[in-house]
Amino acid sequence: MVSASPEVPVAPLHGEHRFRSRSEYAIVADVMRDYARAVGADDPIHCDERAAAARGFAALVAPPTFATTIWMRAEERILDALVPGFHSGRVVHADRTLEIARPLLAGDRIGCEVDFESFRHYRDYDVVSVTTVLRDHDGQVTTTGSSTLLVHTRPVGCGQPGLPRQPQDLERVPVRRRLRTDRRDRITSALPRPIVDLGPLAVGADLPDATVTIAAADVMRHAGAVDSSAGAPGHATAVPGMLTFGLISGYLGRWLGDPTALTKLRVQYAPRMHYLPVGPDAPAPIRFGGQVGWLSSRRRMVTVVVDALSKGRKLFGYATAEARLG
């Protein structure tokens, strides 16, 4: 983090700011398939309707982190509108958490609520905290995402902060209670139980080592899923942090044997590792591993610590995940 004397927060950003999407986001099967390929989520329930039906789902099942394609779009519009000088390339530290109540399915129509919870200004840096909740057409929570970001910003116009704007496609709503939800607000309908057979497990047991190689085409495929500029083919690009976030879920889904078993992911990016360089002739290998950190046979839950290294550097300060064992 940055050591600096706190200054007075930008006046228009005192207190919470809450927004919701003006319309619902449609979960499109082809976009889901492209995202699954980009993050290495190779379970057939992501691309084959018959495989999804055999597991008890009414449509194709999205990879666990597919929700971030909606989450990040809304979050960046909020930050671009409310934080003077914001640009995603100026995020120098991030802590992100994703809680999954149920997987998204092709054909779902998802509403989005965003809570800009706190803002602190430190000279050339802003510390912001944002929570995003996705709800299905029946109003039930499918996913909750939260971010704490340290953003390197620049003064706007002679050192005076710019005024907040209305975020695109989002409308302001009154702040009556905290946006975070408890389990009573979450999915109540019956869902297929995950199919996980890992054999005997013990705290401290190693997860299998696996190497994933990311090419420029994977980066552009991921960018297309989040409706961002992907860059022209043949030019060097970079693996964004949210793609590596998705790669963790792909790795853990293969280890568990069922990606729907994942219920929570949390990562803190290592310094200067929000973007991993990759070019058309220089793919980026990422080696995954980890250990079992906690286990409950009564609750049938497991928590794991995940390691990810590329070119001799750790991608995350820490990364943990929780999963149901059926």
Side-chain angles (χ1 to χ4, degrees), residues 102-149:
R102 76 144 168 99
L104 298 178
L105 305 179
D108 274 340
R109 302 194 65 83
I110 300 298
C112 179
E113 303 170 36
V114 185
D115 196 357
F116 188 100
E117 294 181 332
S118 64
F119 177 88
R120 295 292 182 272
H121 184 60
Y122 296 84
R123 296 186 181 178
D124 295 332
Y125 293 88
D126 297 323
V127 181
V128 296
S129 191
V130 184
T131 294
T132 305
V133 170
L134 304 186
R135 297 181 185 271
D136 64 16
H137 192 68
D138 296 324
Q140 293 184 311
V141 174
T142 64
T143 315
T144 303
S146 61
S147 302
T148 301
L149 308 174

Side-chain angles (χ1 to χ4, degrees), residues 7 26-27 34 48 131-132 186 209-210 242 278 307:
E7 296 181 355
I27 306 302
D34 282 345
D48 186 337
T131 294
T132 305
R186 303 191 177 195
D209 287 337
M242 293 311 287
V278 60
D307 298 319

Side-chain angles (χ1 to χ4, degrees), residues 16 30 40 43 50 55 75 82-83 85 88 100 109 128 153 157 163 198 213 219 232 236 250 302 319:
E16 286 188 74
D30 286 344
D43 193 294
R50 291 171 298 180
R55 299 263 282 273
E75 181 182 277
L82 298 185
V83 178
S88 59
I100 304 162
R109 302 194 65 83
V128 296
T153 55
L163 293 176
L198 299 174
T213 301
V219 179
V302 63

Side-chain angles (χ1 to χ4, degrees), residues 22-297:
R22 297 181 185 275
S23 57
E24 295 178 324
Y25 297 92
I27 306 302
V28 179
D30 286 344
V31 176
M32 181 193 305
R33 289 187 178 99
D34 282 345
Y35 179 88
R37 288 179 61 195
V39 302
D42 53 10
D43 193 294
I45 63 174
H46 305 315
C47 59
D48 186 337
E49 287 86 353
R50 291 171 298 180
R55 299 263 282 273
F57 293 97
L60 288 181
V61 181
T65 52
F66 184 78
T68 63
T69 64
I70 301 172
W71 166 21
M72 291 300 297
R73 203 179 316 169
E75 181 182 277
E76 289 199 359
R77 286 171 180 166
I78 289 284
L79 295 172
D80 180 63
L82 298 185
V83 178
F86 172 80
H87 186 278
S88 59
R90 299 194 186 105
V91 176
V92 296
H93 177 86
D95 187 321
R96 299 191 185 274
T97 302
L98 179 70
E99 297 184 69
I100 304 162
R102 76 144 168 99
L104 298 178
L105 305 179
D108 274 340
R109 302 194 65 83
I110 300 298
C112 179
E113 303 170 36
V114 185
D115 196 357
F116 188 100
E117 294 181 332
S118 64
F119 177 88
R120 295 292 182 272
H121 184 60
Y122 296 84
R123 296 186 181 178
D124 295 332
Y125 293 88
D126 297 323
V127 181
V128 296
S129 191
V130 184
T131 294
T132 305
V133 170
L134 304 186
R135 297 181 185 271
D136 64 16
H137 192 68
D138 296 324
Q140 293 184 311
V141 174
T142 64
T143 315
T144 303
S146 61
S147 302
T148 301
L149 308 174
L150 179 65
V151 185
H152 186 195
T153 55
R154 295 185 303 187
V156 179
C158 301
Q160 296 300 318
L163 293 176
R165 306 186 307 276
Q166 177 67 35
Q168 183 183 3
D169 300 331
L170 299 168
E171 61 182 1
R172 191 180 294 270
V173 295
V175 179
R176 295 191 179 95
R177 61 182 178 84
R178 288 188 64 79
L179 186 57
R180 297 182 188 276
T181 58
D182 60 32
R183 295 186 181 276
R184 291 173 297 179
D185 296 313
R186 303 191 177 195
I187 300 298
T188 57
S189 59
L191 291 170
R193 296 184 66 83
I195 303 171
V196 179
D197 183 11
L198 299 174
L201 274 182
V203 172
D206 290 330
L207 274 60
D209 287 337
T211 298
V212 176
T213 301
I214 300 301
D218 298 314
V219 179
M220 290 186 283
R221 195 175 290 117
H222 178 268
V226 296
D227 196 24
S228 302
S229 174
H235 287 71
T237 182
V239 179
M242 293 311 287
L243 175 49
T244 57
F245 193 63
L247 291 169
I248 287 181
S249 75
Y251 162 71
L252 291 174
R254 289 188 294 277
W255 171 64
L256 292 163
D258 187 344
T260 68
L262 284 173
T263 60
K264 187 174 183 178
L265 288 170
R266 184 180 180 187
V267 302
Q268 181 188 80
Y269 294 97
R272 302 183 184 277
M273 294 304 290
H274 298 286
Y275 291 89
L276 180 66
V278 60
D281 299 317
I286 303 175
R287 182 166 61 85
F288 290 100
Q291 287 186 326
V292 175
W294 176 84
L295 186 64
S296 172
S297 57

